[in-house]
């Protein structure tokens, strides 16, 4: 934190706030479509059985490990640094599905996990969600991400095993085409392959289903914009860097320097 004057801590806090903001915006947009622009549902839908107007979320799920050292300065070269290790459940798609489920709007979550201990932990933690469309793949590891931070919250390093997200293929997703056609809203995250994203956007556009795209990061933000898939998008939630990536993919002008924040 001393090296960044607290910027790393502020960035982490901003990320948490943004996740909550994105989830609440999706829920509000979905509620308006279901009940009219200003109406509020009299009761929340909590059943997880198939619903013809059930929203669909397609994206990644991760098991996150956060290792935080007790000291400000890390020691390397085979030295064990005392600290604490925490486990949490993440992935942009999973976070969105989790948020919507806790708000009483249980979406169908399409994703992929392995057949390992991490997968069992995910299923146990997400038992309140509709995970009936989450593929279990014995030949793949459940996605994991490990981040190491110093005692003051400074990011030291991160390692991710995310290859399984590439198994959320067009072929697998097409098994749920009827659910996509009748969905009240489809949410996509940037972790899924471009071919899957293109397929879902085609189906959604053909059946007038609104699509929300969560870019995930700068490198993945442009995925819908390398083809005509972006024309199916009704909502998106980029930060400034991701918005710049989108504009560049569309050939639109971008400023040489981005502002520090949006007014």
């Amino acid at each position: 934190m001393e090296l960044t004057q607290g910027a790393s801590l502020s960035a982490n806090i901003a990320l948490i706030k943004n996740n909550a903001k994105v989830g609440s915006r999706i829920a509000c947009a979905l509620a308006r479509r279901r009940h009219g622009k200003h109406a509020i549902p009299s009761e929340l839908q909590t059943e997880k059985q198939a619903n013809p107007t059930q929203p669909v979320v397609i994206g990644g799920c991760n098991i996150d490990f956060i290792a935080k050292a007790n000291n400000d300065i890390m020691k390397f070269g085979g030295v064990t640094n005392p600290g604490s290790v925490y486990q949490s459940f993440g992935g942009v798609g999973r976070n969105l599905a989790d948020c919507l489920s806790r708000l009483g709007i249980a979406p169908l979550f399409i994703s992929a996990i392995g057949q390992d201990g991490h997968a069992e932990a995910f299923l146990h933690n997400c038992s309140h969600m509709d995970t009936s469309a989450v593929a279990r793949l014995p030949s793949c590891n459940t996605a994991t991400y490990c981040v190491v931070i110093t005692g003051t919250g400074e990011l030291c390093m991160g390692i991710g095993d995310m290859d399984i997200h590439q198994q959320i293929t067009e072929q697998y997703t097409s098994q749920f085409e009827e659910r996509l056609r009748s969905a009240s809203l489809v949410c996509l995250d940037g972790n899924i392959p471009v071919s899957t994203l293109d397929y879902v956007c085609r189906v959604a556009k053909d059946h007038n289903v609104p699509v929300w795209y969560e870019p995930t990061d700068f490198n993945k933000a442009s995925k819908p914009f390398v083809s005509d898939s972006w024309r199916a998008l009704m909502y998106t939630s980029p930060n400034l860097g991701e918005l710049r990536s989108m504009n560049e993919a569309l050939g639109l002008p971008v400023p040489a320097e981005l502002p520090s924040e949006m007014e």
Side-chain angles (χ1 to χ4, degrees):
M1 186 180 295
E2 291 179 357
L3 294 176
T4 62
Q5 289 77 49
S8 61
L9 179 59
S10 298
N12 288 333
I13 293 173
L15 178 61
I16 294 171
K17 289 182 177 179
N18 185 66
N19 284 343
K21 184 186 297 183
V22 170
S24 62
R25 285 177 177 174
I26 293 174
C28 289
L30 183 56
R32 284 195 295 269
R33 285 187 61 83
R34 281 184 169 180
H35 304 281
K37 185 174 181 181
H38 301 293
I40 298 175
S42 59
E43 59 183 24
L44 296 177
Q45 174 72 27
T46 57
E47 293 83 357
K48 293 191 290 184
Q49 63 265 30
N51 183 334
T53 61
Q54 184 181 27
V56 176
V57 176
I58 308 174
C61 58
N62 309 333
I63 309 298
D64 295 332
F65 295 92
I66 302 94
K68 183 176 182 180
N70 291 341
N71 301 319
D72 299 350
I73 299 176
M74 301 284 293
K75 296 180 180 180
F76 297 95
V79 177
T80 298
N81 292 270
S84 302
V85 179
Y86 307 91
Q87 176 181 314
S88 63
F89 297 88
V92 173
R94 192 218 69 90
N95 291 347
L96 294 176
D98 181 25
C99 183
L100 288 170
S101 297
R102 293 180 186 278
L103 289 170
I105 307 170
L108 177 70
F109 181 41
I110 301 176
S111 189
I113 57 177
Q115 289 189 1
D116 47 25
H118 294 324
E120 296 299 330
F122 160 78
L123 292 172
H124 176 75
N125 178 265
C126 300
S127 59
H128 61 290
M129 295 164 46
D130 184 349
T131 58
S132 59
V134 176
R136 300 203 62 182
L137 307 176
S139 60
C140 298
N141 297 326
T142 300
T144 54
Y145 177 69
C146 181
V147 61
V148 179
I149 57 178
T150 67
T152 53
E154 182 73 21
L155 175 64
C156 184
M157 65 181 301
I159 299 176
D161 179 0
M162 310 287 189
D163 291 348
I164 196 171
H165 292 158
Q166 298 308 306
Q167 302 304 315
I168 311 172
T169 62
E170 174 183 350
Q171 180 179 6
Y172 177 73
T173 305
S174 66
Q175 299 178 55
F176 309 98
E177 182 166 324
E178 289 299 321
R179 305 287 286 276
L180 292 170
R181 291 178 178 181
S182 62
S184 53
L185 178 71
V186 173
C187 299
L188 306 173
D189 81 17
N191 289 308
I192 64 176
V194 172
S195 58
T196 305
L197 191 150
D198 290 344
Y199 160 72
V200 173
C201 286
R202 286 197 306 270
V203 172
K205 185 177 180 181
D206 289 344
H207 294 84
N208 298 315
V209 176
V211 178
W212 188 304
Y213 179 61
E214 168 50 46
T216 307
D217 67 27
F218 176 85
N219 293 321
K220 299 172 183 176
S222 62
K223 282 186 175 182
F225 301 93
V226 296
S227 66
D228 285 337
S229 290
W230 65 272
R231 298 182 183 277
L233 305 184
M234 183 172 290
Y235 311 101
T236 188
S237 46
N239 59 30
L240 285 173
E242 293 162 352
L243 182 60
R244 177 172 186 163
S245 177
M246 293 175 175
N247 281 0
E248 289 176 341
L250 290 171
L252 299 175
V254 295
E257 294 185 7
L258 294 177
S260 59
E261 61 182 15
M262 295 183 68
E263 297 182 357

